[in-house]
C-alpha cells in the first residue's frame, strides 16, 4: 500500500478534523499505546488495527500491536465464548475455562507489556489483566462483540476479569453492561484510503471478475464475510433463490477464514451443499490480504447484503455504504447505527424480507442510487477512521484525567 499520510484525509473529512487529531495526539504523545488481540489477519478487529495503529504513529503517538498465541483447542474455546456472548447457547466445561486461563497465563509469561495504556481487544486475551497488580498501567477492555444478550454463565465468568480494567469500550449503546468501571462508546470505522476502500479503476474491477469467472451482464448481489454461522451465508442463498424466481441475477459469497476461527470449514461445506452447483452462485475463498480484490467485488456489485444473525458492528456494511452501494442488512448489533431504514439502506428481519428488499432495489434503480448516496455520506460523517482515532485519543486522555474537561 502506498504510504498514506494523515494530510491525505483532508479532502475527505476536512482540515479541522485533522487539526483536532494533532492537537489531541500532542496531549498523549509521551505515552505508549499497546493493543493486544488474537490475530493479525481476518475479521474486523485486525482490519481496524491494521490501519489505526500506523496512523496513530504518524500522529506521533507510539502505538504497538501484539497478539496472544493459542492452539486450536484454545481458539475452539474462545469461539464458543464469541458465540455465547452473542447469545447462542454453548456448552463450555470447567476444563475448557481452566485451559483458557492457562493459555492466557502462558502468554503473560512470554509477552512484554510495554504500553502505558494497554488496550485488550475482545475476550481471547482478557486474562492478561492479572498482570495489572504487578505492573500497574492503564488497562482498557475493548469489546467488539454484541453483548446485549450474553449467555449468563459465560458473561459472569468474563465479568470477573472485566472488573479489574480501568474502563470498558463498546461499539454500540445497547451493548453496555452493569459494570462498576467506566464505560465508553466508540463505534468502529473504516479507512477510506486503504486498499479495501480506496477508489480503483474499472479495468481492475473487470480483471477481478474475469479471474473469478463472473460475468458483469447480470446484476451481482454480494455478501463478504468469514464463513461463520452467525453471518448466515446459507440464509443468503435462500433469499437469493427467492429473488431469482423473478429477477435474473448472480450471488457472490466471498469469504476467508480467520486464524482464530476454527468453525469456518464446517460452514463452508454447508454453503457448498446449499448452493448445489448453481452456476450463478459464486463461492469465493479469498486469501488473506486480498483487500483490493474484495474492494473490486464490492464495487462490481449492484447490492451488498449482510444477513447476519448476530453482529458486532458489521464493517462489511460500512464498506458497502462507503462505496455508494445500496445495502440490505439484518437489524442486529451495530448495523442499525449504520443503516437508518429506507434512508441509508434497508434493514431486514427475515429471509423473505431480505429477498423482497433485494428485488425492490434491483427493479428500482433510482431508489437504489439515492440510498447508496445517502449511505456514503452517513459513513463520511460517522464511521471513518479519523473519527475513531479522535475517540481513541479522547479515551486515553479521559482515562488519565477522569472528570477533566477537554477544550478543542
Ligand atoms: N473480510 C475480508 N476477507 C474476507 C472476509 C472478510 O477481508 O474473506 C473483511 C471485511 O471486508 C471486513 C472484515 O473482514 O473488513 C470483517 O469485519 P466485520 O465487522 O464485518 O465482521 P467480523 O469478521 O469482525 O465479525
Amino acid at each position: 500500500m502506498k504510504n498514506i499520510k494523515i494530510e491525505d484525509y483532508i479532502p475527505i473529512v476536512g482540515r479541522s478534523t485533522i487539526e483536532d487529531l494533532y492537537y489531541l495526539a500532542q496531549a498523549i504523545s509521551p505515552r505508549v499505546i499497546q493493543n493486544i488481540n488474537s490475530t493479525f489477519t481476518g475479521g474486523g478487529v485486525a482490519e481496524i488495527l491494521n490501519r489505526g495503529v500506523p496512523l496513530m504513529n504518524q500522529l506521533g503517538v507510539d502505538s504497538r500491536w501484539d497478539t496472544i498465541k493459542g492452539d486450536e483447542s484454545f481458539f475452539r474455546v474462545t469461539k464458543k465464548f464469541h458465540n455465547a456472548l452473542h447469545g447462542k447457547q454453548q456448552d463450555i466445561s470447567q476444563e475448557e475455562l481452566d485451559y483458557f486461563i492457562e493459555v492466557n497465563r502462558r502468554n503473560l509469561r512470554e509477552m512484554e507489556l510495554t504500553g502505558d495504556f494497554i488496550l485488550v481487544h475482545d475476550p481471547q486475551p482478557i486474562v492478561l489483566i492479572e498482570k495489572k497488580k504487578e505492573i500497574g498501567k492503564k488497562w482498557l477492555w475493548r469489546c467488539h462483540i454484541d453483548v446485549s444478550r450474553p449467555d449468563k454463565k459465560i458473561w459472569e465468568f468474563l465479568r470477573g476479569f472485566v472488573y479489574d480494567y480501568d474502563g470498558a469500550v463498546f461499539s454500540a449503546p445497547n451493548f453496555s453492561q452493569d459494570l462498576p468501571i467506566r464505560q465508553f462508546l466508540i463505534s468502529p470505522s473504516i479507512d477510506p484510503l486503504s486498499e479495501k476502500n480506496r477508489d480503483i479503476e474499472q479495468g481492475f474491477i473487470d480483471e477481478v471478475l474475469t479471474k473469478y469467472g463472473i460475468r458483469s451482464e447480470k446484476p451481482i448481489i454480494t455478501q463478504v464475510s468469514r464463513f461463520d454461522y452467525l453471518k448466515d451465508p446459507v440464509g443468503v442463498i435462500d433469499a437469493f433463490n427467492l429473488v431469482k424466481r423473478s429477477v435474473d441475477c448472480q450471488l457472490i459469497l466471498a469469504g476467508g477464514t480467520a486464524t482464530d476461527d476454527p468453525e469456518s470449514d464446517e460452514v463452508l461445506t454447508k454453503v457448498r451443499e446449499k448452493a448445489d452447483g448453481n452456476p450463478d452462485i459464486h463461492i469465493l475463498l479469498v486469501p488473506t490480504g486480498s483487500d483490493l480484490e474484495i474492494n473490486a467485488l464490492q464495487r462490481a456489485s449492484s447490492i451488498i447484503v449482510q444477513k447476519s444473525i448476530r453482529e458486532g458492528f458489521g464493517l462489511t456494511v460500512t464498506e458497502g455504504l462507503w462505496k455508494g452501494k445500496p445495502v440490505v442488512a439484518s437489524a442486529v448489533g451495530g448495523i442499525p447505527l449504520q443503516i437508518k431504514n429506507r434512508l441509508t439502506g434497508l434493514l431486514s428481519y427475515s429471509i423473505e424480507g431480505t429477498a423482497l428488499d433485494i428485488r425492490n432495489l434491483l427493479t428500482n434503480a433510482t431508489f437504489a442510487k439515492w440510498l447508496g448516496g445517502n449511505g456514503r455520506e452517513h459513513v463520511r460523517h460517522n464511521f471513518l477512521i479519523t473519527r475513531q482515532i479522535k475517540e481513541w485519543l479522547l479515551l486515553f486522555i479521559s482515562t488519565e484525567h477522569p472528570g477533566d474537561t477537554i477544550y478543542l
Side-chain angles (χ1 to χ4, degrees), residues 69-131:
K69 292 181 190 65
D71 56 12
E72 207 187 318
S73 313
F74 175 76
F75 288 125
R76 278 210 177 273
V77 182
T78 59
K79 187 65 202 280
K80 283 189 185 180
F81 283 178
H82 182 90
N83 291 338
L85 290 177
H86 273 298
K88 196 173 166 211
Q89 165 62 35
Q90 299 278 288
D91 289 324
I92 307 181
S93 66
Q94 188 56 47
E95 289 71 44
E96 288 179 307
L97 296 180
D98 292 344
Y99 188 62
F100 168 74
I101 294 178
E102 185 192 320
V103 172
N104 262 271
R105 288 185 180 153
R106 211 181 293 157
N107 274 280
L108 261 185
R109 287 194 288 275
E110 288 162 13
M111 197 165 228
E112 277 191 75
L113 293 165
T114 50
D116 298 298
F117 289 95
I118 300 177
L119 205 48
V120 171
H121 296 260
D122 283 340
Q124 296 93 331
I126 200 167
V127 183
L128 300 185
I129 189 67
E130 289 185 341
K131 196 81 173 175

Side-chain angles (χ1 to χ4, degrees), residues 206 208-210 212-220 244 248-250 252 278-282 300:
D206 295 340
V208 172
L209 289 184
T210 309
Y212 286 110
I214 302 163
R215 286 164 303 145
S216 52
E217 309 89 70
K218 287 189 204 180
I220 299 170
K244 271 286 259 191
D248 195 15
C249 52
Q250 338 170 54
I252 297 177
N278 183 340
D280 281 328
I281 301 180
H282 307 278

